[in-house]
C-alpha cells in the first residue's frame, strides 16, 4: 500500500471518530491496568460489569490486597480465566505497593515486569493512561492491518513494528483505537461489512463482502 492511501485511510478513520478511547471503563491508570489485565480473552463489556462493582469498593493496589484473593475472585468470577487473573492481580498489586509506592509506573520495563502484564497490556497503559504513541496490536488490529494491507506482518509483533514505522506521528497516539474499533464493528472476523465500510475504496483486501 502506498503512503498516500495509508494517509487517506487514517484521515478518514480520524474524521469519523476524532477522540477515540478504550471501551474499558476506568478513571485512573491503576483501574485501566487492572481492567486490561482482566480483559485477556474476555469482552470489554464483561470486564466493565465486574469492575463497576469492584472499583467502588477497591480501586488501589492496597485496597485490592486488603480484599484478599477470595474476596477479589468474588468480584471477577464472571470473567474467563478468573482464577489465574486473580492470582496475577494480587501479585501485581503487591509489586506496585512494594516497588512503586502504590502507583502505576510510566515505564515499559517496569510494567512488563508485573505478573500478567505483557507487551500488549503495557502498550495500552502507556498509550491510554499516559498518552505515549505506542500501538498495542490485538487480534482486531492484526486482522485489519493485514486485510487492508495498511501494515502487513506474520505476527502481532511484526504488525506493531510495521505500524510504528508507517503511521505518521500525528496519528500514532490514536491509531490503535481506530483500528480496534474498525475491526470490532466493521471489519469483523467472519463476514466483514465492506458495504458499510468508510475505507472500502482504499482497502486492498481481495475477498471483500458486499
Ligand atoms: S473493505 Fe471490508 S475488508 Fe476492507 S477494511 Fe472495510 S470491512 Fe475490512
Amino acid at each position: 500500500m502506498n503512503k498516500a492511501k495509508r494517509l487517506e485511510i487514517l484521515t478518514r478513520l480520524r474524521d469519523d471518530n476524532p477522540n477515540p478511547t478504550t471501551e474499558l471503563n476506568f478513571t485512573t491508570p491503576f483501574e485501566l491496568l487492572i481492567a486490561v489485565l482482566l480483559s485477556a480473552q474476555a469482552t470489554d463489556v464483561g470486564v466493565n460489569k465486574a469492575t463497576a462493582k469492584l472499583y467502588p469498593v477497591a480501586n488501589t493496589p492496597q485496597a485490592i490486597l486488603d480484599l484478599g484473593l477470595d474476596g477479589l475472585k468474588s468480584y471477577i468470577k464472571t470473567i474467563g480465566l478468573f482464577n489465574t487473573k486473580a492470582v496475577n492481580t494480587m501479585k501485581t498489586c503487591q509489586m506496585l505497593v512494594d516497588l512503586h509506592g502504590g502507583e502505576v509506573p510510566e515505564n515499559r520495563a517496569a510494567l512488563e515486569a508485573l505478573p500478567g502484564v505483557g507487551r500488549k497490556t503495557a502498550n495500552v497503559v502507556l498509550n491510554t493512561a499516559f498518552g505515549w504513541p505506542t500501538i498495542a496490536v490485538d487480534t482486531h488490529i492484526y486482522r485489519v492491518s493485514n486485510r487492508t494491507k495498511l501494515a502487513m506482518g506474520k505476527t502481532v509483533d511484526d504488525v506493531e513494528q510495521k505500524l510504528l514505522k508507517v503511521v505518521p506521528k500525528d496519528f500514532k497516539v490514536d491509531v490503535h483505537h481506530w483500528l480496534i474499533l474498525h475491526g470490532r464493528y466493521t471489519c469483523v472476523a467472519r463476514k466483514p461489512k465492506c458495504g458499510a465500510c468508510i475505507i472500502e475504496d482504499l482497502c486492498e483486501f481481495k475477498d471483500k463482502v458486499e
Side-chain angles (χ1 to χ4, degrees), residues 112-156:
E112 289 185 11
L114 298 170
V117 178
R119 183 173 179 84
K120 198 188 85 181
T121 300
N123 275 335
V124 174
V125 172
L126 289 171
N127 175 277
T128 306
F130 297 119
W132 286 31
T134 54
I135 304 175
V137 177
D138 71 347
T139 176
H140 297 300
I141 296 188
Y142 178 78
R143 182 177 66 252
V144 173
S145 300
N146 273 298
R147 268 183 184 164
T148 55
K149 297 198 174 26
L150 184 71
M152 298 182 72
K154 289 204 168 77
T155 65
V156 289

Side-chain angles (χ1 to χ4, degrees), residues 144 147-148 182 186-188 192-195 197-201 203-205 207-209:
V144 173
R147 268 183 184 164
T148 55
H182 194 64
T186 305
C187 194
V188 293
K193 299 170 184 166
C194 304
C197 176
I198 60 169
I199 55 168
E200 193 270 340
D201 55 319
C203 167
E204 296 181 3
F205 186 46
D207 301 310
K208 288 180 191 163
V209 181

Side-chain angles (χ1 to χ4, degrees), residues 14 17-21 174 178:
R14 180 176 65 186
N17 186 3
N19 297 301
T21 188
D174 290 326
W178 290 319

